[in-house]
Amino acid sequence: MQLSIIYELRANNVKEEDIEIIMDRVKNRLSEENIDVELQKLGYPKIFTVDYDEYEYDEDEEF
């Protein structure tokens, strides 16, 4: 799992030194939510989780 997370971080242009910081901080509590928290602390947007409350949508729209 850790390699796929690092791959995703690299694919989203997270600096290598920041990847090291993030992975060190979450090593004992590895989860997508915790990684996104650490990303935001370093000024990056979330990559792994979505906050659906932030999206605006038309309730009358049909899918």
Side-chain angles (χ1 to χ4, degrees):
M1 179 176 172
Q2 190 172 6
L3 288 177
S4 61
I5 290 170
I6 292 171
Y7 175 82
E8 281 296 321
L9 292 170
R10 287 178 178 153
N12 283 278
N13 300 316
V14 176
K15 295 177 187 174
E16 287 295 322
E17 56 268 18
D18 291 339
I19 292 173
E20 290 179 29
I21 291 168
I22 292 166
M23 297 308 291
D24 187 56
R25 288 180 181 173
V26 300
K27 64 184 172 193
N28 294 325
R29 51 186 183 87
L30 187 61
S31 73
E32 293 173 339
E33 293 83 8
N34 289 339
I35 293 169
D36 277 347
V37 166
E38 297 301 330
L39 280 167
Q40 289 184 303
K41 286 180 184 178
L42 294 173
Y44 294 97
K46 292 180 183 180
I47 295 174
F48 298 100
T49 59
V50 176
D51 187 359
Y52 291 103
D53 292 334
E54 291 180 7
Y55 286 96
E56 292 184 25
Y57 58 92
D58 184 0
E59 292 181 16
D60 296 327
E61 184 177 337
E62 293 184 26
F63 294 98

